[in-house]
Amino acid sequence: MLQEVMERARRIRRSERFKYAAATFARLSLHATQRLNPGVFAIDIHENSGFFSVLQMVLFILMYCDEKGLVPRISAHGPIYGAPDGTVDWFSTFFETVQAPPDMPPARKIRTSTVQDLVQLGFRKRYEARLEIRSASALFRAHYRPAAFIVDEVDALCGTIGIGDDTLGVHFRGTDKRHEAESMSWEAFCQAVAAALAENPRLSNIFVSSDEAAFLDFFVAWPFGKPVRVAPSRLLADGSMPIHFRGYAGLEIGREALVSSLLLSRCGYLVKTPSYLSAWSKIFNPALPVRLASPPRPDAFWFPDSQLWIENGMAPAA
């Protein structure tokens, strides 16, 4: 009985409604501050979540700026992907601006607001239902692109690993994702991958990425009848603790996450479980065919995986 009560309390704390209510004061303060800026929306993200959760925040900020005619000024100085002392703007390290923002008169002070979570912006309720893969991809890529050193690494790995249109990309997210996605056994997932191979005979090899070393061992041993290449990631999870809370060097965690997503985006087809990392492969390459093997949970039915599930011909979450 006590365990059920504690689990119910945890679900409430994780719920979007609870977090939105708890962040009310911070949200009102942020928007009051930003209204003082001259045509600029300046946000510095000090993340307490995953790399691509931060990119979700960036996407919502871009939607808001596009709607209001504001210039986005986005940075990220959180300790998980930058430096422990908060001195590294890791977002600007990994992404270049496509167009330089206009210079502001030196006499006008720009006030930058710090956020840790999407609820502090209050944009999910406003924009989540409007999101579509192609328009979201176009909006993000109109403002930002992966830094040149990241693109160079991805290009080189595609050559050495052999990733191309004939590659089936595979991504299995484990660890803490059970809170946001319906569970799927390793065997059932491998069967879904085998079915995708049977339906697409042009796919001649497999590229697999995961945060779980034990799953990778299981996957490589499965008799797919095709060569399997494993993502060159050194930083993996331990048990149920996700990679970004393992204390690894921040910039290395971010680099591996972004490189993995971009490598999956270069494949000819993608089979995946719910995960922002592999869902953003579709943002980077909206033409990529994707099969979502299991649905997100109804209380975490979020873009881009929500759209991928519906595109696969499945019903929206109840």
Side-chain angles (χ1 to χ4, degrees):
M1 179 64 179
L2 178 60
Q3 185 175 358
E4 291 180 4
V5 172
M6 292 177 63
E7 179 58 30
R8 188 178 298 113
R10 281 193 291 267
R11 285 199 300 268
I12 291 172
R13 288 196 302 271
R14 289 195 299 263
S15 71
E16 196 73 8
R17 180 178 297 179
F18 177 85
K19 291 188 288 186
Y20 188 86
T24 297
F25 177 78
R27 186 167 53 253
L28 293 174
S29 177
L30 180 149
H31 286 282
T33 298
Q34 290 304 307
R35 280 193 288 270
L36 300 174
N37 282 336
V40 173
F41 195 70
I43 301 294
D44 187 37
I45 301 170
H46 286 208
E47 80 289 333
N48 58 8
S49 57
F51 185 96
F52 289 92
S53 295
V54 174
L55 292 196
Q56 291 287 103
M57 295 172 68
V58 171
L59 182 57
F60 280 114
I61 291 169
L62 294 180
M63 292 181 74
Y64 178 77
C65 290
D66 189 57
E67 180 181 276
K68 300 296 183 181
L70 300 173
V71 175
R73 289 198 174 181
I74 303 172
S75 57
H77 287 85
I80 298 177
Y81 302 106
D85 59 2
T87 57
V88 175
D89 178 3
W90 63 261
F91 181 72
S92 297
T93 298
F94 292 126
F95 293 94
E96 303 170 348
T97 54
V98 174
Q99 296 181 347
D103 293 331
M104 303 303 298
R108 305 296 294 272
K109 179 183 178 181
I110 301 299
R111 300 165 178 83
T112 300
S113 297
T114 299
V115 299
Q116 293 179 315
D117 194 276
L118 182 56
V119 295
Q120 294 175 327
L121 292 165
F123 290 160
R124 172 161 274 153
K125 286 187 174 182
R126 181 181 298 190
Y127 297 121
E128 179 81 22
R130 305 186 202 176
L131 284 166
E132 296 180 351
I133 297 290
R134 289 193 176 274
S135 58
S137 174
L139 178 62
F140 185 85
R141 294 189 296 163
H143 288 272
Y144 298 108
R145 61 185 170 224
F149 79 96
I150 292 289
V151 175
D152 288 345
E153 180 176 357
V154 172
D155 287 343
L157 286 170
C158 283
T160 57
I161 298 174
I163 294 176
D165 289 341
D166 60 344
T167 302
L168 174 62
V170 173
H171 183 242
F172 184 89
R173 171 69 190 275
T175 62
D176 64 327
K177 204 62 182 177
R178 66 185 184 277
H179 298 310
E180 299 172 10
E182 300 295 343
S183 60
M184 187 177 198
S185 71
W186 294 355
E187 181 177 2
F189 183 71
C190 288
Q191 289 170 346
V193 171
L197 286 170
E199 294 166 9
N200 298 274
R202 66 183 177 83
L203 300 172
S204 61
N205 60 86
I206 303 170
F207 170 74
V208 60
S209 175
S210 177
D211 57 344
E212 288 197 26
F215 166 78
L216 290 171
D217 292 339
F218 182 89
F219 186 90
V220 170
W222 190 271
F224 291 111
K226 306 283 185 181
V228 177
R229 300 173 177 91
V230 177
S233 299
R234 297 185 303 106
L235 310 180
L236 298 175
D238 181 15
S240 62
M241 182 176 291
I243 293 171
H244 50 275
F245 292 140
R246 287 287 297 149
Y248 297 126
L251 290 177
E252 281 301 297
I253 303 175
R255 183 192 61 77
E256 284 200 355
L258 181 55
V259 167
S260 293
S261 182
L262 289 169
L263 288 173
L264 291 169
S265 77
R266 300 284 189 93
C267 295
Y269 196 98
L270 174 60
V271 177
K272 63 187 287 309
T273 56
S275 166
Y276 277 145
L277 183 152
S278 48
W280 267 76
S281 299
K282 182 75 170 177
I283 301 297
F284 294 132
N285 177 15
L288 174 68
V290 179
R291 175 180 296 179
L292 190 57
S294 61
R297 290 188 181 275
D299 59 350
F301 199 69
W302 299 327
F303 181 87
D305 278 330
S306 59
Q307 290 297 302
L308 294 175
W309 187 247
I310 293 170
E311 284 184 7
N312 287 173
M314 304 299 184

